[in-house]
Amino acid sequence: MKDYEAWARGISLAAQQFEGFLGAEILRPRDNAYAEYVVIVRFVSYHHLRCWTTSSIYQQWIDKSKGLVARRTLRHMTSGMEIWFSKPTGNLDDTQPAYYKQVILGVLAVYPLILLANVLLSDLLSPLPSFLGLLISVTFVSALLTYPVMPMLTRILSFWLYPTASN
């Protein structure tokens, strides 16, 4: 386990040198009977992750893991926002819009919905405790955000979100 810990720290430090690196976590086993470690390395985009996993440095660290790792998996983990970003028809690649574009689109969608919720629900929610009124308001905004607002906005702004798909 000591050798694996050193390897996990080393590969995490190596990944930090790559553009787009967001962070790394080492999940240690809670039960010695099931000594499974998980190393999570996060990048800003799939492209940046791919640059890391196809690099010679990554391969060197993978080679160093032989004898330490019983089974290896490599999964593209999503950001959780994919449900809100409808890809243009025919766009089959795994790329997501740049993070700043996701933030801008989120603000463009959320701000007007919060204003709408305040106008439509304020009289109805005012007699309720504030935490309950906020829960109802957040549920209202989330429901509209997931469908129809974000799918509509991603369709309208697809030329900006996915510029290569527009060509």
Side-chain angles (χ1 to χ4, degrees):
M1 287 201 188
K2 204 174 182 181
D3 290 341
Y4 185 85
E5 290 270 347
W7 176 84
R9 278 191 305 278
I11 196 168
S12 298
L13 288 171
Q16 287 179 26
Q17 307 309 310
F18 280 74
E19 186 179 343
F21 176 82
L22 289 176
E25 286 181 69
I26 302 169
L27 304 179
R28 291 166 178 82
R30 292 184 182 185
D31 181 1
N32 287 337
Y34 189 69
E36 180 180 30
Y37 280 77
V38 177
V39 177
I40 301 169
V41 181
R42 291 173 294 139
F43 284 86
V44 72
S45 70
Y46 180 74
H47 167 75
H48 289 96
L49 170 69
R50 193 86 177 115
C51 288
W52 159 243
T53 58
T54 58
S55 73
S56 61
I57 294 171
Y58 173 82
Q59 190 55 54
Q60 289 168 11
W61 280 100
I62 295 305
D63 292 345
K64 288 179 185 179
S65 74
K66 300 222 184 329
L68 299 174
V69 176
R71 182 175 60 99
R72 179 177 331 283
T73 60
L74 175 64
R75 294 190 181 131
H76 170 108
M77 298 307 236
T78 59
S79 69
M81 304 265 296
E82 290 75 13
I83 191 170
W84 286 348
F85 294 92
S86 306
K87 293 190 191 274
T89 306
N91 184 7
L92 300 177
D93 68 16
D94 272 346
T95 58
Q96 287 296 312
Y99 179 74
Y100 78 92
K101 290 181 179 183
Q102 293 181 34
V103 170
I104 291 170
L105 193 65
V107 170
L108 288 174
V110 171
Y111 182 71
L113 287 176
I114 290 173
L115 292 176
L116 179 66
N118 285 339
V119 168
L120 295 179
L121 303 176
S122 61
D123 290 340
L124 178 71
L125 301 178
S126 62
L128 299 174
S130 60
F131 71 90
L132 186 57
L134 183 59
L135 175 64
I136 293 168
S137 183
V138 166
T139 303
F140 173 81
V141 169
S142 295
L144 288 176
L145 198 57
T146 302
Y147 185 83
V149 173
M150 286 301 281
M152 179 186 65
L153 276 177
T154 58
R155 220 176 8 264
I156 292 168
L157 297 174
S158 66
F159 69 93
W160 177 66
L161 292 168
Y162 304 99
T164 56
S166 303
N167 297 340

